[in-house]
Amino acid sequence: MDDASLERALLQALSKADGVQSVEFAGTCGVEHKKVIGLIKSLEAGGVEMVVSTATDHSKLALTPEATSYITAGSPEAQAFAAVPAEGCTLAAFKAAVDATISEVGFKQAMQVKWLGMVKGAEPRVERKVAAIEDVARAYLAAIAAGDASGVPAKELDVLIKKRKLVKQETWKTYNIAKGLNFAPERKKAHADLTKEMLADGSWRGESFKAYNLVPGAGAPPAGGHQHPLLKVRQQFREIFLQLGFAEMPTNNFVESGFWNFDTLIQPQMHPARDAHDTFFLKTPERAHKAPEDYVERVRTMHESGGHGSIGHQYAWKRAEADKNILRTHTTAVSARCLHKLAQDGFKPARFFSIDRVFRNEAVDRTHLAEFHQVEGVICDVGLTLGDLVGVLHQFFARLGMTKLRFKPAFNPYTEPSMEIFAYHPMLKKWVEVGNSGMFRPEMLRPMGMPEDVNVIAWGLSLERPTMIMYGIDNIRDLFGSKMQVSAVKNNPFCKLGMIEQTETVKMTTE
């Protein structure tokens, strides 16, 4: 019977009686009971309300197919007991005599009720602990199959259902169907549109129409995206650099050669940072050969014998080591590319910045990941000094809300002098290390083709640490990676970095 015929039959049956039982109606029509339930839901839905129904809950205990087989063959523990002769047998012989279910499940159950025991030794044996048994589990299963579970103790029934999973509780509902508020012997379909034909012939007067759903606030709210806290802070850093007149460097090459990542920075090839425990090396492609050959030779000479007042590192520089592909360990590799291009195109003063991901082969803990974001600023001009670097750092960090700075001498392979940057953080109420800085060495700049009187100052810091401080995050894995909660992305507050007015910045840096 199709859906339309079934609906007409139910409405006609209700026209002749005060109520209809769903199970009886399904049997009369020769359809499944769930099909009748679907029809009931359709007829009593909001806006239709042709029928109303009252549900009655039903339940019964039923055996699984496995349990049904045990009524004939006996429970697994009884079968295991029967497989062991009176004089006992070896464990291997017992397992060979029965199937896997009996040798595993049945044997364990028989040992639990102390019907069987195992004697350990060079060749384990299985022996009977009692002369005869009563298969209680089989009797319980037979009683349940017959529909009389009253004689099964509650504890044993619970074991059969939950632990042994031989019995299951089946539940279902039946419905008493009665006439609803809008009952009619036939459902009249409501029209969604008023057509010009209805208006022309007047047929609209006898039709019913669906109600308008133009209710304020009705419907699902439109889905919208949410910015990750790192992206919010990254954008504010970017705005600060742009306000200070910096141009953004292209940072879309996560894979760098050792030449651009280390050698151009005059970092010797035997430096510990170039070991596999600090750097990720690529297997495919393993090497790159894209550096200008004349520049490569100038870098080789600087490493081996020096120049421009330097004696170099005094070792045999290897091109094969420089050509190895790696995941870049810092964005200073991008700075080196940009400075080389600036020197080759004809030097002019420039300010560059970059904010992107770098990779280190570090142990992951609450403050370190194998990948993180580095913020870097670079200024290239004639006659720059350490005082210019200090002044720029005051300007930069004041816009981050940190107006009190301290500097500590440090060592970097490619900067001299070098300084660690410390700031009094207003949110943490203490002095914290916030970055590293220095002036690029002549050994790095002169092979690029930079004029003798040109100096480059630079500084860098991570993006994750200020983000964690701002949003009160203690574990970096809660900020970046698979443990980051979607709710934290949706509900994180507005980023306040870079909100200090320019006049206040100048005032604070000159006090």
Side-chain angles (χ1 to χ4, degrees):
M1 183 179 290
D2 59 25
D3 293 345
S5 300
L6 185 65
E7 181 179 304
R8 284 195 297 271
L10 177 59
L11 294 176
Q12 289 172 7
L14 282 173
S15 299
K16 301 173 183 177
D18 294 332
V20 174
Q21 292 294 326
S22 60
V23 174
E24 295 175 2
F25 177 74
T28 302
C29 296
V31 298
E32 293 183 359
H33 184 244
K34 64 181 181 180
K35 189 172 183 179
V36 176
I37 294 174
L39 174 60
I40 295 170
K41 300 300 181 186
S42 173
L43 290 172
E44 68 179 358
V48 181
E49 299 177 356
M50 295 184 69
V51 303
V52 292
S53 64
T54 304
T56 303
D57 294 318
H58 303 270
S59 67
K60 73 172 183 177
L61 295 173
L63 301 184
T64 64
E66 178 187 0
T68 303
S69 68
Y70 295 154
I71 295 177
T72 304
S75 67
E77 54 267 36
Q79 293 185 54
F81 181 85
V84 178
E87 67 276 10
C89 64
T90 63
L91 180 61
F94 169 72
K95 289 186 175 182
V98 295
D99 60 32
T101 302
I102 305 305
S103 66
E104 294 294 333
V105 178
F107 184 46
K108 288 180 181 178
Q109 289 291 332
M111 290 183 67
Q112 187 176 347
V113 295
K114 300 187 181 337
W115 291 354
L116 295 177
M118 187 170 68
V119 179
K120 296 181 179 179
E123 190 174 11
R125 292 179 55 79
V126 181
E127 295 182 351
R128 291 184 175 184
K129 294 291 186 180
V130 294
I133 62 169
E134 180 184 357
D135 195 352
V136 180
R138 176 183 180 182
Y140 291 159
L141 293 176
I144 293 171
D148 182 17
S150 58
V152 182
K155 184 177 180 180
E156 297 298 329
L157 182 60
D158 192 59
V159 170
L160 290 173
I161 294 174
K162 296 181 179 179
K163 187 175 180 180
R164 303 191 66 175
K165 301 188 185 304
L166 297 175
V167 179
K168 56 186 177 180
Q169 187 91 30
E170 293 183 346
T171 61
W172 70 96
K173 295 185 180 207
T174 59
Y175 296 86
N176 179 50
I177 314 165
K179 297 175 182 177
L181 182 64
N182 299 323
F183 177 79
E186 183 179 356
R187 174 154 49 172
K188 199 170 186 180
K189 185 177 179 181
H191 293 275
D193 299 307
L194 177 64
T195 65
K196 64 179 183 179
E197 290 80 12
M198 292 179 182
L199 293 173
D201 59 19
S203 61
W204 61 272
R205 292 185 177 89
E207 299 292 346
S208 59
F209 295 89
K210 292 182 179 179
Y212 285 109
N213 59 358
L214 301 178
V215 181
H226 302 273
Q227 267 199 319
H228 191 282
L230 272 176
L231 293 180
K232 289 185 176 182
V233 177
R234 182 189 186 280
Q235 182 59 29
Q236 289 306 120
F237 269 105
R238 188 171 181 274
E239 292 293 336
I240 290 171
F241 276 115
L242 293 175
Q243 290 168 11
L244 292 172
F246 285 69
E248 189 165 11
M249 294 183 281
T251 58
N252 54 345
N253 50 327
F254 287 174
V255 176
E256 281 284 10
S257 67
F259 178 79
W260 288 107
N261 196 85
F262 297 120
D263 293 278
T264 62
L265 307 182
I266 313 302
Q267 198 160 336
Q269 293 183 339
M270 72 287 290
H271 194 281
R274 302 181 71 153
D275 292 341
H277 65 269
D278 284 327
T279 303
F280 291 107
F281 289 86
L282 267 69
K283 289 185 177 179
T284 306
E286 185 179 2
R287 300 184 184 280
H289 306 278
K290 293 188 177 181
E293 289 301 322
D294 58 338
Y295 179 43
V296 172
E297 287 305 314
R298 292 196 296 272
V299 171
R300 175 199 295 271
T301 301
M302 187 61 72
H303 276 259
E304 293 182 343
S305 57
H308 303 280
S310 171
I311 64 170
H313 293 299
Q314 301 293 310
Y315 73 101
W317 186 85
K318 297 178 181 178
R319 179 64 182 269
E321 185 69 25
D323 286 343
K324 289 181 179 179
N325 277 331
I326 64 171
L327 293 180
R328 67 181 179 211
T329 63
H330 49 197
T331 52
T332 312
V334 179
S335 302
R337 285 181 177 272
C338 288
L339 291 173
H340 175 261
K341 186 176 186 303
L342 179 66
Q344 297 305 304
D345 293 346
F347 171 76
K348 58 182 179 180
R351 302 178 185 185
F352 298 122
F353 80 94
S354 63
I355 310 171
D356 213 335
R357 196 172 302 183
V358 297
F359 307 86
R360 306 271 177 88
N361 193 2
E362 295 183 346
V364 175
D365 57 30
R366 56 186 292 274
T367 58
H368 295 86
L369 291 177
E371 54 181 304
F372 59 95
H373 295 77
Q374 183 173 327
V375 181
E376 185 163 336
V378 177
I379 300 178
C380 182
D381 206 344
V382 175
L384 289 176
T385 66
L386 190 65
D388 294 310
L389 175 59
V390 171
V392 170
L393 292 176
H394 274 288
Q395 286 280 337
F396 178 78
F397 282 98
R399 291 172 181 263
L400 302 180
M402 293 175 278
T403 59
K404 297 178 182 180
L405 299 184
R406 290 176 180 172
F407 305 96
K408 176 184 175 182
F411 170 77
N412 292 318
Y414 43 88
T415 60
E416 179 62 35
S418 306
M419 301 185 302
E420 292 178 352
I421 310 165
F422 294 82
Y424 184 81
H425 203 288
M427 292 180 67
L428 298 178
K429 306 297 183 185
K430 64 179 181 179
W431 289 90
V432 294
E433 183 180 353
V434 292
N436 213 325
S437 65
M439 301 182 66
F440 284 146
R441 299 172 66 98
E443 295 98 315
M444 171 185 166
L445 300 178
R446 302 305 166 244
M448 293 178 177
M450 286 288 183
E452 293 282 345
D453 57 348
V454 170
N455 291 329
V456 178
I457 58 176
W459 69 98
L461 63 154
S462 76
L463 183 66
E464 281 77 4
R465 188 168 189 192
T467 305
M468 291 171 67
I469 293 173
M470 171 163 290
Y471 289 98
I473 298 173
D474 184 61
N475 192 323
I476 193 171
R477 289 168 287 195
D478 295 331
L479 172 69
F480 187 71
S482 59
K483 291 188 177 181
M484 177 71 180
Q485 298 295 316
V486 175
S487 59
V489 177
K490 291 182 177 181
N491 302 321
N492 63 83
F494 179 75
C495 177
K496 299 178 183 179
L497 286 180
M499 295 293 103
I500 300 177
E501 294 292 337
Q502 179 69 25
T503 54
E504 293 187 20
T505 304
V506 174
K507 177 183 176 183
M508 286 183 287
T509 55
T510 55
E511 287 179 350

